[in-house]
Amino acid sequence: MATGMESPAATAAAAMADPSCPPFPLLEEEGQHEREEEENVPHGGELELPTVDLEAPGEALAAACRRLGVFRLANHGVPADLSARLFAVARDLLGRASFHNKQAQPGYFWGTPALSSLRVRDVNWVEGFHLALDPDHQPTAAASSPDLAALADLAREYGAHMARVARTLFGALAAALGLGAGQASAYLAEHDGFLRAYRYPPCPEPGRLGMEAHTDSSVLSVINQDLVGGLQVLHGGAWRDVAPGGGGGTGTGKLLVNLGDMARAISGDAFRSVRHRVAASRGDEMLSLCYFAFPRDDAVISCRGSRYRPFTYAEFREQVQADIKATGSKVGLERFLVHH
């Protein structure tokens, strides 16, 4: 029986005894610490987010994008039973299968969502599956387990809803920005997006991050959380908690939407690309589903009067990968400032 007085070493040993858990390094073993700039950022309590109705986004959408860059989405039309089935399969595959078996599956990652050999500065307390939604990029049946094949099938069905949500939102934003039909089409390739299923296992050490602070490279990202939460956004010089929207198959839940770097560039900095992170949980595991939508690779991102020179999304992605490989972290849009 737990007494509540176990040592950090004992709780760490218990976590590592779970065969599903990746071999995360412990801070005391590795001598790692949170980055100094994040240690100095205070915690500011919970942040109340605006809600946008997908059936009538109106001015509320543009206002949320200008003020925060993150909002809740109601009336999104994603079937609750589909979300519930996707969460259930993801939970079984990530939380019940052994780490050894998961490692052998295509699209599996741990410590960082980067699927390549890119190094990152810190190991995050996270694992998951990267799920391509384009049928041409799906893993073959021979390469994946039946559970992963089931997850991929559900992801494709879910992805069709995500593409609809993304196109509806971006259509309204394109109108607010006065984009032409050609730009509105090229700046969002919603059917080429991808889905990630994240699991944040219980963490034995306080102060650890499930996901380090970052901005997304996407136009927009749509997050479906379970009821545990853990998401934090940087606002007003402090890290602010974002309460779960209850979207994880609960029936009445809202989704979360955050804008990425491409929305910021397309709008000439009128819209915010919100910096966010995930705090690791010492109690229950956390699960979330995140859909990312990007421009077409050959889309030239430009905005009259922008601080950024015109660039293609393919150029941006390659620069991000080069920076991570060289430094362990993303530099982002600052690489494309006019004076560079």
Side-chain angles (χ1 to χ4, degrees):
M1 182 176 68
T3 64
M5 300 294 291
E6 291 86 351
S7 69
T11 54
M16 296 310 162
D18 177 0
S20 76
C21 191
F24 297 113
L26 300 177
L27 291 176
E28 59 186 25
E29 293 174 353
E30 298 293 317
Q32 297 181 29
H33 301 281
E34 277 192 279
R35 297 182 186 179
E36 183 177 347
E37 62 265 32
E38 292 189 18
E39 289 179 341
N40 295 330
V41 176
H43 183 266
E46 188 171 315
L47 178 64
E48 189 67 32
L49 297 184
T51 295
V52 173
D53 185 337
L54 188 63
E55 295 180 354
E59 175 55 30
L61 173 60
C65 293
R66 292 188 189 100
R67 188 172 75 87
L68 290 176
V70 59
F71 54 89
R72 301 191 190 279
L73 187 66
N75 290 323
H76 46 73
V78 179
D81 68 313
L82 174 59
S83 289
R85 284 183 285 138
L86 190 51
F87 268 99
V89 173
R91 182 172 283 106
D92 281 343
L93 188 55
L94 286 166
R96 312 293 178 259
S98 71
F99 172 66
H100 175 76
N101 288 341
K102 287 182 289 192
Q103 259 194 317
Q105 298 301 312
Y108 176 74
F109 61 85
W110 71 278
T112 170
L115 296 178
S116 67
S117 59
L118 299 178
R119 69 181 182 90
V120 292
R121 191 177 299 177
D122 296 315
V123 174
N124 301 297
W125 205 273
V126 65
E127 63 173 341
F129 278 99
H130 177 103
L131 300 159
L133 300 175
D134 181 348
D136 293 337
H137 293 88
Q138 291 289 324
T140 63
S144 59
S145 69
D147 287 340
L148 182 56
L151 184 67
D153 286 343
L154 287 169
R156 280 195 297 273
E157 184 180 352
Y158 184 85
H161 286 282
M162 291 293 99
R164 170 185 54 79
V165 167
R167 175 49 64 184
T168 302
L169 287 172
F170 192 70
L173 291 177
L177 293 172
L179 299 182
Q183 287 177 307
S185 175
Y187 284 174
L188 188 80
E190 67 270 26
H191 296 290
D192 295 333
F194 59 78
L195 184 71
R196 283 184 182 145
Y198 294 105
R199 176 190 179 231
Y200 303 92
C203 179
E205 292 184 313
R208 290 296 295 264
L209 292 176
M211 188 75 71
E212 65 187 352
H214 65 286
T215 59
D216 290 344
S217 295
S218 58
V219 176
L220 54 85
S221 308
V222 185
I223 306 166
N224 196 341
Q225 295 177 292
D226 65 11
L227 295 177
V228 178
L231 179 66
Q232 298 177 336
V233 302
L234 187 62
H235 179 67
W239 287 110
R240 307 287 296 277
D241 295 322
V242 175
T250 59
T252 58
K254 299 180 178 71
L255 299 173
L256 284 172
V257 178
N258 71 263
L259 300 188
D261 297 335
M262 293 303 95
R264 178 181 166 191
I266 289 166
S267 69
D269 289 336
F271 296 158
R272 297 175 63 88
S273 176
V274 64
R275 190 165 177 82
H276 56 287
R277 68 182 190 179
V278 178
S281 169
R282 299 194 70 189
D284 297 325
E285 69 176 9
M286 302 182 293
L287 270 85
S288 66
L289 307 169
C290 192
Y291 161 84
F292 300 88
F294 302 89
R296 287 197 331 231
D297 274 2
D298 61 353
V300 177
I301 309 300
S302 64
C303 177
R304 181 176 299 175
S306 174
R307 297 188 300 141
Y308 313 110
R309 64 173 177 82
F311 60 89
T312 65
Y313 176 67
E315 185 182 0
F316 179 85
R317 184 181 62 238
E318 290 164 5
Q319 182 64 60
V320 167
Q321 292 174 345
D323 287 333
I324 294 175
K325 185 175 182 179
T327 69
S329 60
K330 168 181 155 182
V331 177
L333 286 172
E334 283 65 26
R335 288 289 193 198
F336 297 87
L337 292 171
V338 171
H339 66 262
H340 272 217

